Amino acid sequence: MIKEITEKKERLKTYMKQKGFKSTRQRDIIASEFFKCEDHITAEDLYIKINKRHKDIGSTTVYRTLKLLAESGLATARVFADQLTRYEPVSEDEHHDHLICLDCGSIIEFEDPKLERLQEKIASEFGFSIVDHNMEFYGYCRDCKR
Amino acid sequence: MIKEITEKKERLKTYMKQKGFKSTRQRDIIASEFFKCEDHITAEDLYIKINKRHKDIGSTTVYRTLKLLAESGLATARVFADQLTRYEPVSEDEHHDHLICLDCGSIIEFEDPKLERLQEKIASEFGFSIVDHNMEFYGYCRDCKR
DNA sequence: TCTTTATTGAAAATGAATTTCAATTTCCTT
DNA sequence: AAGGAAATTGAAATTCATTTTCAATAAAGA
Ligand SMILES: [Mn+2]
Ligand SMILES: [Mn+2]
Ligand SMILES: [Zn+2]
Ligand SMILES: [Zn+2]
């Protein structure tokens, strides 16, 4: 197990203790599996992965644990055009947005300070203060466009 | 009835004829009500409005008609953070994005060519060609922030 | 008017996500 | 180590928006 994962699991443990939540075998397995799998996974897909080795862990618990991870700040929930809730590990509090390929489904992450600044500027013109935003581009990735 | 609405209903009729769809009393009433009501309405809310005067029109038909309007290009479907599908009339093919107040729920529309250009630039850096995008800001409007 | 075909509304189905609940587990406190 | 309060679990039930099904009805073209 990679150091980074151990670290995240430690943070989860701390969060749970602080909240009076209990550490369980299920949460441990689900969190580990989540941290080492690809980004933007749905609860259902993570459940399918976990269910191969752990027949006794129910999908309800996977849903619940992903929610817990999001609350603890270790994961972020996102909803793209297919309307499914997807989770990704939080990468050192660095914000990013997404390019989503309509053909192969691949997701490219990017981060652009200029864009963020422009957003702030636009919002301020309306006297609006941004708490959060949601931005995705849909189209075709390099490989999928001809 | 305003001229603009009559015009839109004419366009709908043309679209339906071209597709072999039939003009019905229900579609006429639903489209009229939709075109004259506030933007970003859900099927359910439009149904509630219509149901006051037209007890015989079912919600299923409202769902279906809004979908038809979107297909015909007269409406756009949008999904914001509450995960409900909302519809708004298409305004002379002018694209816009949204500022959504987390307190009062008001929605401010804006349009910024600079932002659009920046988006294209970012996408092209990844060899990605944008077909569509989705961008909303969540926060507090002028009235709701203190 | 006749006839084909689309449309309608009610009810049932869908599917992701949440809730319920009895049984089990965790983790304090003795 | 044992006891016990409180949280957690998995299965099943429930929710809620939306879609599908289907028999009855309505539209439109001949
Ligand atoms: Mn991401
Ligand atoms: Mn709008
Ligand atoms: Zn692709
Ligand atoms: Zn407000």
Side-chain angles (χ1 to χ4, degrees), chain A residues 5-65:
Chain A
I5 292 180
T6 320
E7 232 174 79
K8 286 179 173 177
K9 288 174 62 178
E10 211 47 58
R11 281 212 275 153
L12 177 60
K13 209 158 226 167
T14 306
Y15 174 80
M16 289 196 293
K17 178 154 275 175
Q18 179 232 317
K19 287 281 189 177
F21 298 157
K22 290 170 179 171
S23 286
T24 65
R25 182 181 59 87
Q26 289 90 331
R27 283 174 172 166
D28 190 75
I29 290 167
I30 295 166
S32 299
E33 205 62 42
F34 171 69
F35 289 134
K36 72 173 183 240
C37 81
E38 357 104 43
D39 284 359
H40 315 117
I41 195 165
T42 63
E44 199 55 34
D45 285 349
L46 184 57
Y47 166 67
I48 289 166
K49 244 182 233 286
I50 287 169
N51 187 250
K52 286 183 184 143
R53 295 177 172 285
H54 306 279
K55 298 292 180 200
D56 61 319
I57 295 182
S59 66
T60 312
T61 304
V62 176
Y63 275 94
R64 286 193 277 230
T65 303

